[in-house]
Amino acid sequence: MNELVTGEAVALELRPARLPSRALAILLDLVVAFVVYLVVSVALLAATASLDEAAQIALSIATFLLVLVGGPIAVETLSQGRSLGKAACGLRVVRDDGGPIRFRHALVRGAIGVVEILLTIGVVACIASLVSARGRRLGDVFAGTLVVRERVPAVRSGFVPPPPPWLAGRFQELDLSSVPDGLWLAVRQYLGRMHQLDPQVGWSMAQRLADDLAARTGAPVPQGAPPAAFLAAVVQERQVREARRAFAGGSSGQPDPYRPPTAWGPPSPYGSPPPPPSPSPSSYAVPAVSASPVPSEAAPVRDAGDRAPGTGFVPPA
């Protein structure tokens, strides 16, 4: 699968259309265009029977240009790259960066298509598509466009990584009601594909999303926390609340099984939370087997910089 790279270094998994599907789409478009051309020509011939031969020839040329050249240009412009044949075959014309085409792209494709498709019966277009690595004809090369497949096999969406343990459950009191759905979608898309981004571009994108999310919620990014980790922690908190509402776990008075454990003591943005206090001997103690207790080793304290590699929350070098 070929990847198109946008201006923000985001890799788009778009599959270029191959020659057989493109040829079938063009054939369907030509059949429809020629049927329309014949109907319009017969109607004009009946309406202009009293005109001289020169006027009828001029009308025939104008009808040819209007229907077989201007028609496909207008259809691709209005449908943003989906003609009747392409819609039937599941194809679409897009720009090289994956965006929708405009009138100038359709105009260049249609003007060059007169030569490489109509006048040469598609021979030039077939040769150019076979030579091109992405199956582009000359009209696509000069217009800066590409025909891609819209009907691709379903793939699993990008995995949204969980937040670091030292941020889990820290935003339980955060007000998320003012965050729009579009911002949630942008955050989830970034977290699912942040490993595919350039490190510098990904870091700046995470910073912008974190600033926007902090402005909507009124809670600043914790000191020392990477912006991607802040986004992951807030997304996890939203998922926890949605699960609690769906299963009615928050109104029954029972412990919420979807809530991440809360750290004992104030959470620290630079390291793991302190260990929990020892249980009371009166309520949880087990009769001692030996009179001499076995000394326990002190648990090492992790620093905020000792995060697991490959989490995507490490700032770019």
Side-chain angles (χ1 to χ4, degrees), residues 130-178:
L130 291 175
V131 172
S132 174
R134 293 192 287 182
R136 301 198 300 176
R137 63 179 179 89
L138 294 180
D140 293 316
V141 174
F142 286 100
T145 57
L146 175 68
V147 180
V148 298
R149 294 180 55 185
E150 287 190 316
R151 301 171 188 171
V152 295
V155 295
R156 297 181 60 183
S157 58
F159 170 71
V160 178
W166 47 279
L167 274 180
R170 184 164 181 177
F171 303 100
Q172 299 178 9
E173 305 299 329
L174 202 62
D175 183 15
L176 305 179
S177 59
S178 60

Side-chain angles (χ1 to χ4, degrees), residues 7-302:
E8 294 184 340
V10 179
L12 302 178
E13 295 180 356
L14 298 179
R15 181 174 298 179
R18 297 304 178 186
L19 181 59
S21 58
R22 293 191 61 179
L24 179 60
I26 292 176
L27 181 61
L28 293 176
D29 289 336
L30 289 179
V31 169
V32 174
F34 273 109
V35 169
V36 174
Y37 173 70
L38 290 178
V39 172
V40 174
S41 298
V42 171
L44 287 177
L45 183 63
T48 60
S50 59
L51 297 179
D52 55 1
E53 184 178 357
Q56 292 181 354
I57 294 176
L59 286 176
S60 300
I61 296 176
T63 304
F64 175 83
L65 294 177
L66 181 62
V67 176
L68 296 182
V69 180
I73 294 175
V75 170
E76 284 194 352
T77 303
L78 297 176
S79 63
Q80 294 186 341
R82 293 191 69 192
S83 61
L84 295 178
K86 291 180 177 62
C89 297
L91 307 181
R92 179 187 289 271
V93 182
V94 297
R95 300 197 306 262
D96 283 339
D97 59 354
I101 65 172
R102 301 184 183 277
F103 172 73
R104 59 184 180 87
H105 303 98
L107 179 61
V108 175
R109 281 175 47 84
I112 300 180
V114 174
V115 178
E116 62 174 342
I117 295 179
L118 296 179
L119 299 184
T120 62
I121 321 178
V123 175
V124 176
C126 291
I127 295 176
S129 298
L130 291 175
V131 172
S132 174
R134 293 192 287 182
R136 301 198 300 176
R137 63 179 179 89
L138 294 180
D140 293 316
V141 174
F142 286 100
T145 57
L146 175 68
V147 180
V148 298
R149 294 180 55 185
E150 287 190 316
R151 301 171 188 171
V152 295
V155 295
R156 297 181 60 183
S157 58
F159 170 71
V160 178
W166 47 279
L167 274 180
R170 184 164 181 177
F171 303 100
Q172 299 178 9
E173 305 299 329
L174 202 62
D175 183 15
L176 305 179
S177 59
S178 60
V179 181
D181 293 337
L183 182 56
W184 286 123
L185 179 60
V187 171
R188 287 187 58 85
Q189 289 178 345
Y190 165 76
L191 292 175
R193 308 191 66 176
M194 63 182 180
H195 297 290
Q196 304 176 12
L197 303 177
D198 178 79
Q200 296 291 342
V201 175
W203 186 266
S204 61
M205 188 180 299
Q207 187 65 54
R208 291 197 302 269
L209 291 174
D211 293 342
D212 196 1
L213 190 59
R216 298 277 184 172
T217 58
V221 181
Q223 184 180 5
F230 169 74
L231 296 175
V234 177
V235 168
Q236 185 193 62
E237 177 62 29
R238 182 173 185 260
Q239 292 174 347
V240 166
R241 297 182 185 183
E242 290 179 350
R244 187 169 61 252
R245 286 195 300 266
F247 295 97
S251 59
S252 59
Q254 301 295 330
D256 186 6
Y258 302 98
R259 170 74 64 181
T262 306
W264 287 269
S268 172
Y270 299 101
S272 301
S278 301
S280 173
S282 59
S283 57
Y284 299 104
V286 179
V289 179
S290 175
S292 59
V294 179
S296 59
E297 297 181 357
V301 180
R302 291 180 58 194

